[in-house]
Amino acid sequence: MNVQIEPGWKKVLDPEFSKPYFLQIVHFLKSEKNAGKIIYPPGSLIFNAFNKTPFDHVKVVLLGQDPYHGPGQAHGLSFSVPDGIPPPPSLQNIFKELKTDTGLALPHTGNLSPWTTQGVLLLNAYLTVLARAPMSHSQQGWGEFTDMVIHRISDLKKNIVFLLWGKFAQEKQVLIDETKHLVLKAAHPSPYSADKGFFGCRHFSKTNEYLMKNGIDPVDWQL
């Protein structure tokens, strides 16, 4: 199957695109669309995280769960929303921690695209969702695909920082070789859990400390 994705990722992930589980994802999405159902993000943005951050440029992986399920919010990047869309509560808390940790001013946009061009892969575990129905596509095979993405990054690269916020993300820790990568864990930035270990985690500065220690350019977190 010819998936439109950045060439470096295409090379790394190509075997997945012909596997039964992936063909089933494609069949499912086509069936849902033909039935008139609204799916986020738009088809052209399903692989936006990969196209924004080429495989060869990845240095940080920020793992989210599934796309935002409200109109205009999802654009294929975990935790991010397009310009002009108010930052959802979890993203507001991410910005609060960013300010506390680094001293940077609170951003005027919820669009995290400037991070992606610096090697931050904003990866959701499930790449699509039905409108107004969180986690609705979590059993459709996306988990198998993104597990393989994490596994390939771990195997083929070194000195990557994995940011695992919340129990769900931390379940992916077993896919990562911690002898050559850094895993940073904290509570999820959701209003329900941010005060249970996300606030004060200092993951933004810790990420840059690790990158610089390994001769890698730090991330400019300013938006």
Side-chain angles (χ1 to χ4, degrees):
M1 171 152 193
N2 186 26
V3 173
Q4 300 300 310
I5 195 169
E6 187 272 327
W9 285 110
K10 180 94 165 183
K11 183 178 178 182
V12 169
L13 297 173
D14 199 49
E16 301 305 303
F17 299 141
S18 58
K19 290 182 178 178
Y21 83 86
F22 194 87
L23 298 177
Q24 176 56 36
I25 293 173
V26 175
H27 175 74
F28 169 76
L29 293 176
K30 285 180 178 177
S31 298
E32 293 285 276
K33 188 174 180 181
N34 290 338
K37 296 185 179 179
I38 299 173
I39 295 171
Y40 298 131
S44 61
L45 295 178
I46 290 174
F47 294 106
N48 197 24
F50 303 91
N51 294 327
K52 288 273 194 183
T53 310
F55 180 77
D56 290 345
H57 296 174
V58 175
K59 57 190 180 187
V60 179
V61 178
L62 175 50
L63 187 65
Q65 196 154 319
D66 67 336
Y68 293 122
H69 52 88
Q73 291 182 308
H75 64 149
L77 307 176
S78 63
F79 294 105
S80 180
V81 291
D83 289 324
I85 301 295
S90 290
L91 185 54
Q92 292 178 34
N93 285 338
I94 289 171
F95 289 160
K96 288 176 185 176
E97 175 59 23
L98 176 65
K99 180 180 180 181
T100 301
D101 184 12
T102 66
L104 292 173
L106 290 173
H108 296 294
T109 177
N111 190 341
L112 306 182
S113 293
W115 296 356
T116 69
T117 57
Q118 300 179 74
V120 181
L121 180 67
L122 298 175
L123 179 67
N124 277 317
Y126 312 120
L127 301 188
T128 59
V129 69
L130 184 65
R132 305 295 186 190
M135 296 294 287
S136 49
H137 290 182
S138 63
Q139 302 300 316
Q140 299 302 327
W142 281 128
E144 186 171 349
F145 176 71
T146 55
D147 278 1
M148 186 55 64
V149 170
I150 296 168
H151 188 67
R152 293 275 164 83
I153 294 171
S154 178
D155 275 2
L156 299 176
K157 299 180 78 70
K158 64 179 181 179
N159 301 136
I160 303 296
V161 181
F162 290 86
L163 301 178
L164 305 182
W165 296 342
K167 183 174 179 240
F168 169 83
Q170 289 162 20
E171 290 173 354
K172 307 296 185 185
Q173 187 172 359
V174 296
L175 303 169
I176 302 164
D177 182 352
E178 294 184 64
T179 66
K180 59 175 183 169
H181 303 293
L182 175 65
V183 172
L184 294 176
K185 298 187 292 183
H188 194 276
S190 156
Y192 300 106
S193 54
D195 61 353
K196 296 179 174 65
F198 178 75
F199 290 139
C201 70
R202 300 189 63 244
H203 280 184
F204 300 100
S205 58
K206 288 177 180 178
T207 292
N208 280 347
E209 287 167 8
Y210 177 83
L211 293 174
M212 289 188 290
K213 187 178 81 173
N214 287 284
I216 302 167
D217 288 339
V219 177
D220 178 1
W221 299 107
Q222 180 74 63
L223 293 171

